[in-house]
Amino acid sequence: MTGSYNIISEYIILTLAILILYLMISTFPRKTSIYIVDFLGILFSILAIVLSRVIITLATHPENFKPWLFNLVCMAYFMIYSTILELIYGYIDQLSFKQRQYKKKLVVHMFCFTVFSFLVYSCLFLFGKMYVVSEDSIQLTHWFQLYLFFGMFTSVAAFIDTWKHRDSIAKKVRWFIYAFCPFDFALLIFQLIRQDILFVSITYFVPFFLFYILFHSNCYDEVNGCQNSYSFSTRFVENIRMHRDFLIIYVEFPRYVHLEHTYSKEIINNATAAISRQIEALYGGIYLYAISDFQYALFSNIKHPGRELVIIHQVNEILATPITYGKETFSPLYKMVAFTSSALINNLTKLSSFQKYLMHKLDAISGSAYYIARPQDYTNFAEQYELEQLLAQIKANDDLDDKHVLCFAQPIYNVDKKSFRTAEALMRLQVNNKIIYPDKFIPAAERSNCIHTLTRIILNKVCKKVHELSALYDFDAITVNCSTIEFSDPNLHQELLSIIHKNGIDCSKICLELTESAMFEDYDTVLLNIQKLREAGVQFYLDDFGTGYSNLERILTCPFKTIKFDKSLLYKSMDDKVIRDLMVSMVDVFKRQGLLLLVEGVEDENQSKYSIDKGFDYIQGYNYAKPLPIEKLTDFFTPKQKK
Ligand code: C2E
Ligand code: CA
Ligand code: CA
């Protein structure tokens, strides 16, 4: 580094770096765990270029030479440059999914490099080797060579690191690094040769610039003018972190989804763009995001409370107004949900679940519609979300003794023997000392494919209890509810039987309850499972008879032992003669087939007398016993010694 310098390319890079920094701040880029490295890289690049400009000014004016100032600036530049090199190396290293596990190791590595650079610099400085002061300039040759050497070293290290971890870096990204490192190296060599033209900033700014473009930039869609979903996520997360109040509106265009009309994609896109521009024009603080081709989100901070309602209604008005594009006039079908920030919706997973939860409320409406979240929606959703998390956890743990699953049981009265010889196992979930009832969690468990895990857990718990009770009490069996969905799995019988066998109990002590809807599933597989379990000795109860669309023929061809009449049928038959006659004839048909009959939901003496009178063999209901923890069955079953 001597004499006069051509630094035009440094000015160009400085301008570009400032522009990128502005984009980084204003466009809410995709913030992964290594985004900060890229951000710091751009920031330090700007600092480095400014400092190099200062060094050149000082070096070309030896008349004002102040050693302390010059040394300080050179040292600062050197340390910033070595930090930049570490950031480049660190970023490349973290592109390997395997290396991401060793973040701490990388930080230690980077720290050691800083100390090393500092020591090398200090040594050369102490030996007075950094620069030579002459009359017309200050020659920085060694200083310049040293840092260019550090740059080359980093290029080689990044190349080797990428090669070492090649199996864990995306192919294109890997090849990009393989190509860039030698280019960077060559550029540094060229810089070493041509010290009169300064272009070293290209070697460090370009990697950060490319990292930004490739991995973090959130472009605006040039067709609809909206930013992408990552930008929306970043804005949401940052506003949550800053505890700001905001409004979010999601708009879906289901008609586009189903393509009922054969409009071209171009027309649809331009129509959406026209709507977007009108919405944007409502108020300066509105930002629009294209989550997918057919789903859009609006974000707006709420600076004046009450403003959100005005925005929601204005947006709805715009959506409801037909728009014209070319020769076409549109009235797009839309579904819109709106909600404001809440401590209960505090992360991205909850946000996307809440959006679905609210959209679900519009499912039944076939035309355009909108829904504004009510206070209870937030709490109901939070409850449902907590439940879904719990179910996911239970499913992932797959522990047959899972403590979250509680086994309750309701003793069943045997009319003939005038005692309790069977009971129905009823499941409850426990979370944070709160008990959740099946009407809440069974549908959610069926939706999330967790029901089978729950059935295996409850069966295991029941088997354990049966094992304990068998030695001391005289009883027939405990029934376990099964979900009809499960019976379409051809391996079900093996799984259930293995749990029963593992607990060393007789299969006849376990009965399974199935509802009529099982008959409408994959009937052949359902029947196969029933038959295999029957052969092993497990008996079947038909649950909730009288609630579904009964297919009597199918019921009679299935090998059920007992039919459970639903309480609704009992209550209706007591009020209505036609239903009563129907029930009496059903009882008659089933009895003639040798089936046992049970009636559910018997709550008082009147219903009990009626049921006995109609010929039921078993009675289940609050009048006899309420569901209680399965341990309490000992209060109802007859001890063996008393026999
Ligand atoms: P279900 O199989 O019809 O179970 C009977 C339900 O009626 C139980 O509700 C019981 O507490 C309730 N009940 C009992 N006696 C009376 C009464 O006298 N009057 C009234 N009104 N109700 C009575 P629970 O425990 O809330 O269970 C509700 C449903 O959840 C069950 O209906 C069953 O379909 C399902 N369920 C419960 N446990 C399990 C399970 O382990 N697995 C599966 N797949 N489903 C289960
Ligand atoms: Ca049942
Ligand atoms: Ca039932």
Side-chain angles (χ1 to χ4, degrees), residues 424 426 481 513 543-544 564 600:
E424 177 182 13
L426 294 163
N481 287 284
E513 294 193 10
D543 201 359
D544 298 345
K564 296 184 82 168
E600 294 184 286

Side-chain angles (χ1 to χ4, degrees), residues 5 7 17 27 40 48 75 78 98 174 189 331 333 418 441 541 552 566-567 583 617:
Y5 306 95
I7 54 167
T27 63
L40 290 176
M75 168 76 127
F78 194 82
K98 284 187 187 155
R174 198 168 69 218
I189 299 237
S331 260
L333 178 72
K418 296 196 172 47
F441 70 79
Y541 280 39
L552 268 188
D566 190 70
K567 54 181 171 289
M583 195 172 88
D617 306 290

Side-chain angles (χ1 to χ4, degrees), residues 374-485:
R374 298 177 186 150
Q376 68 268 28
D377 287 324
Y378 299 87
T379 43
N380 290 350
F381 165 77
E383 213 173 79
Q384 183 187 309
Y385 184 82
E386 186 185 48
L387 175 63
E388 281 166 7
Q389 297 297 105
L390 174 67
L391 290 171
Q393 191 192 337
I394 292 174
K395 191 176 171 192
N397 291 351
D398 200 33
D399 171 10
L400 290 186
D401 297 312
D402 199 307
K403 299 267 185 300
H404 296 107
V405 179
L406 302 184
C407 186
F408 274 55
Q410 186 175 29
I412 296 168
Y413 184 70
N414 182 320
V415 176
D416 201 22
K417 300 244 166 78
K418 296 196 172 47
S419 61
F420 298 93
R421 298 191 56 82
T422 49
E424 177 182 13
L426 294 163
M427 193 178 344
R428 274 93 181 94
L429 293 185
Q430 185 173 37
V431 60
N432 308 332
N433 287 328
K434 200 171 69 192
I435 301 240
I436 313 175
Y437 286 85
D439 55 331
K440 282 244 162 77
F441 70 79
I442 295 285
E446 288 184 336
R447 271 199 310 274
S448 59
N449 287 326
C450 173
I451 190 72
H452 183 49
T453 311
L454 291 182
T455 303
R456 284 165 50 240
I457 295 172
I458 203 82
L459 178 63
N460 186 52
K461 295 198 171 196
V462 168
C463 288
K464 278 196 168 158
K465 204 71 214 167
V466 164
H467 185 81
E468 270 176 55
L469 291 172
S470 294
L472 303 168
Y473 293 86
D474 193 20
F475 67 99
D476 294 335
I478 296 183
T479 67
V480 173
N481 287 284
C482 285
S483 166
T484 54
I485 307 170

Side-chain angles (χ1 to χ4, degrees), residues 249-254 316 319 333-338 354-374 377:
I249 301 179
Y250 277 99
V251 181
E252 284 183 1
F253 297 103
N316 185 49
L319 289 167
L333 178 72
Y334 67 91
K335 305 272 177 194
M336 169 174 130
V337 293
F354 190 49
Q355 177 257 327
K356 288 194 192 98
Y357 177 90
L358 295 177
M359 275 290 175
H360 193 57
K361 298 199 176 281
L362 301 175
D363 279 355
I365 305 169
S366 56
S368 293
Y370 74 100
Y371 184 82
I372 305 172
R374 298 177 186 150
D377 287 324

Side-chain angles (χ1 to χ4, degrees), residues 32 73 198 225 246 543 598 620 633:
T32 59
V73 179
L198 216 57
F246 54 83
D543 201 359
L598 183 155
Q620 181 178 354
L633 280 182

Side-chain angles (χ1 to χ4, degrees), residues 175-447:
W175 282 104
F176 159 72
I177 301 168
Y178 288 158
F180 185 78
C181 290
F183 167 75
D184 204 56
F185 192 86
L187 218 58
L188 287 163
I189 299 237
F190 188 52
Q191 177 71 93
L192 206 57
I193 299 166
R194 293 295 304 267
Q195 298 192 6
D196 53 327
I197 314 169
L198 216 57
F199 52 80
V200 67
S201 62
I202 297 176
T203 65
Y204 55 80
F205 167 73
V206 171
F208 293 122
F209 170 72
L210 290 173
F211 295 151
Y212 171 71
I213 296 289
L214 286 174
F215 307 119
H216 305 286
S217 76
N218 284 329
C219 38
Y220 281 84
D221 186 314
E222 135 271 358
V223 180
N224 59 38
C226 302
Q227 258 189 294
N228 65 16
S229 62
Y230 285 128
S231 186
F232 176 62
S233 306
T234 310
R235 196 179 278 270
F236 171 78
V237 170
E238 291 196 353
N239 277 278
I240 289 285
R241 214 183 51 221
M242 310 292 281
H243 302 287
R244 291 204 190 109
D245 293 331
F246 54 83
L247 161 75
I248 287 181
I249 301 179
Y250 277 99
V251 181
E252 284 183 1
F253 297 103
R255 182 169 289 162
Y256 294 173
V257 178
H258 301 306
L259 286 179
E260 270 172 40
H261 295 256
T262 47
Y263 296 125
S264 73
K265 185 135 182 155
E266 189 203 333
I267 293 185
I268 292 173
N269 281 339
N270 285 307
T272 321
I275 296 173
S276 303
R277 296 297 79 74
Q278 285 181 55
I279 294 175
E280 236 172 32
L282 285 177
Y283 167 56
I286 287 178
Y287 301 94
L288 295 176
Y289 301 87
I291 308 296
S292 72
D293 272 0
F294 306 104
Q295 192 189 51
Y296 292 79
L298 174 153
F299 185 100
S300 174
N301 284 102
I302 305 173
K303 296 205 176 103
H304 311 284
R307 182 76 176 255
E308 68 277 11
L309 277 179
V310 179
I311 297 177
I312 294 167
H313 290 296
Q314 283 174 325
V315 169
N316 185 49
E317 230 166 75
I318 292 174
L319 289 167
T321 313
I323 48 161
T324 306
Y325 183 76
K327 290 185 193 127
E328 302 282 354
T329 296
F330 273 93
S331 260
L333 178 72
Y334 67 91
K335 305 272 177 194
M336 169 174 130
V337 293
F339 55 95
T340 48
S341 40
S342 153
L344 294 171
I345 319 291
N346 57 1
N347 65 38
L348 286 170
T349 332
K350 284 188 194 168
L351 174 71
S352 111
S353 298
F354 190 49
Q355 177 257 327
K356 288 194 192 98
Y357 177 90
L358 295 177
M359 275 290 175
H360 193 57
K361 298 199 176 281
L362 301 175
D363 279 355
I365 305 169
S366 56
S368 293
Y370 74 100
Y371 184 82
I372 305 172
R374 298 177 186 150
Q376 68 268 28
D377 287 324
Y378 299 87
T379 43
N380 290 350
F381 165 77
E383 213 173 79
Q384 183 187 309
Y385 184 82
E386 186 185 48
L387 175 63
E388 281 166 7
Q389 297 297 105
L390 174 67
L391 290 171
Q393 191 192 337
I394 292 174
K395 191 176 171 192
N397 291 351
D398 200 33
D399 171 10
L400 290 186
D401 297 312
D402 199 307
K403 299 267 185 300
H404 296 107
V405 179
L406 302 184
C407 186
F408 274 55
Q410 186 175 29
I412 296 168
Y413 184 70
N414 182 320
V415 176
D416 201 22
K417 300 244 166 78
K418 296 196 172 47
S419 61
F420 298 93
R421 298 191 56 82
T422 49
E424 177 182 13
L426 294 163
M427 193 178 344
R428 274 93 181 94
L429 293 185
Q430 185 173 37
V431 60
N432 308 332
N433 287 328
K434 200 171 69 192
I435 301 240
I436 313 175
Y437 286 85
D439 55 331
K440 282 244 162 77
F441 70 79
I442 295 285
E446 288 184 336
R447 271 199 310 274

